[in-house]
Amino acid sequence: MLSTLGAAAAASLLLAGSASPTPLARPGDEPPAGKITIDVATVNGSGCRPGSAAVAIAPDNTAFTVTYSEYLAQAGGDSKPTDSRKNCQIALNVHVPQGFTYAIARADYRGYASLAQGAKGTEVAGYYFQGQQQTARKSHVFGGPYDTDWQSSDETDVDALVYAPCGEQRYFNINTELRVDAGSRKAAATSFMAMDSTDGSINTLYHFAWKQCPASRK
C-alpha cells in the first residue's frame, strides 16, 4: 500500500504545476556576483534516505531550492503506525564568495496532500547554522477533506535574521517533519501528505538575505 500511494502521490505532484514562488526581495546588501555552491553533506531521517534530496541555486543568487524524491507520510487504511510521521534532517555545505555572509529571510515549503474528512496533516520546519541554536520550529496544519497542492511560508523579521558567522565554514542544517492523523475514520480511508517530486517540479525554496562582512566594506 505504501509504495502504491507513493506512486500515486508522485503522479499527482507531476500534475500539480511546476511554477516556483518568485524569490523575495529583502532589504540589505545586494547578492554577491561570484559563484555560490551548495553540497548535501549529510541526510538523515525516515523521510529522506541518502540520495533522495537535491539542491539547486537560483541564477541570481537570491535563493536556493531543496527537492525531495521520497518524502511522504500517510495514515489510515493499511498504513503502518510508523508511516504517519516522517522527518528529515539535511546538512548543507554552503560556499559563498569571500567577504559575504547570509541568513535565511523566508522559507517556502510545498507539496501535495490527500486528506480524508476528519484527517489532519501537519508540516513542521526549523533550521540553524552548525554550532548555533535552532530557530523556533514552526508548524502548519491542513485539515481534511483536502486533495490538492499545499504551501506554507515561514518568514523572519529583518531585525531577527541570524547570519552565518563571517569567515567561518558552518553547515546549514534544515529540520523538517510531516505528520498525518487519519482521525476517526482511520480504518476506512487512507490519507497522505507529501513534500516530494520525481522531476524537480515541487521543491522547498529558501530566500537568502545577504550581508557584506565588516572587513570587506569599502
Side-chain angles (χ1 to χ4, degrees), residues 15 40 64 74 90 102 109 117 125 136 173 180 189-191 199:
L15 297 174
V40 178
F64 69 91
Q74 66 177 28
I90 180 170
Y102 69 94
Y109 301 92
Q117 178 71 42
N173 297 282
V180 176
T190 301
S191 296
D199 69 344

Side-chain angles (χ1 to χ4, degrees), residues 86-107:
K86 299 294 181 178
N87 73 294
C88 180
Q89 176 162 321
I90 180 170
L92 302 178
N93 197 6
V94 183
H95 296 274
V96 303
Q98 186 174 4
F100 283 85
T101 185
Y102 69 94
I104 301 300
R106 191 177 82 187

Side-chain angles (χ1 to χ4, degrees), residues 13-100:
L13 288 169
L14 295 179
L15 297 174
S18 59
S20 296
T22 302
L24 181 68
R26 298 294 306 224
D29 293 342
E30 290 296 316
K35 184 178 181 180
I36 298 168
T37 62
I38 301 181
D39 301 313
V40 178
T42 61
V43 174
N44 293 289
S46 56
C48 57
R49 66 176 179 82
S52 66
V55 183
I57 303 286
D60 59 0
N61 290 343
T62 60
F64 69 91
T65 61
V66 179
T67 305
Y68 303 94
S69 61
E70 300 178 4
Y71 203 165
L72 179 146
Q74 66 177 28
D78 296 330
S79 303
K80 301 175 183 178
T82 53
D83 295 337
S84 64
R85 177 186 177 275
K86 299 294 181 178
N87 73 294
C88 180
Q89 176 162 321
I90 180 170
L92 302 178
N93 197 6
V94 183
H95 296 274
V96 303
Q98 186 174 4
F100 283 85

Side-chain angles (χ1 to χ4, degrees), residues 3 41 67 93 95 113 115 120 132 158 167 196 210:
S3 60
T67 305
N93 197 6
H95 296 274
L115 305 171
K120 181 175 65 175
Q132 296 183 338
V158 175
D196 66 3
W210 289 102

Side-chain angles (χ1 to χ4, degrees), residues 169-213:
Q169 191 62 42
R170 304 259 187 116
Y171 285 159
F172 178 64
N173 297 282
I174 301 170
N175 269 324
T176 56
E177 180 181 335
L178 294 178
R179 296 195 302 264
V180 176
D181 181 350
S184 60
R185 299 187 181 184
K186 65 178 67 175
T190 301
S191 296
F192 69 84
M193 186 173 186
M195 188 159 55
D196 66 3
S197 173
T198 57
D199 69 344
S201 62
I202 301 293
N203 52 48
T204 59
L205 181 65
Y206 296 87
H207 305 261
F208 284 124
W210 289 102
K211 184 172 68 174
Q212 286 184 273
C213 295

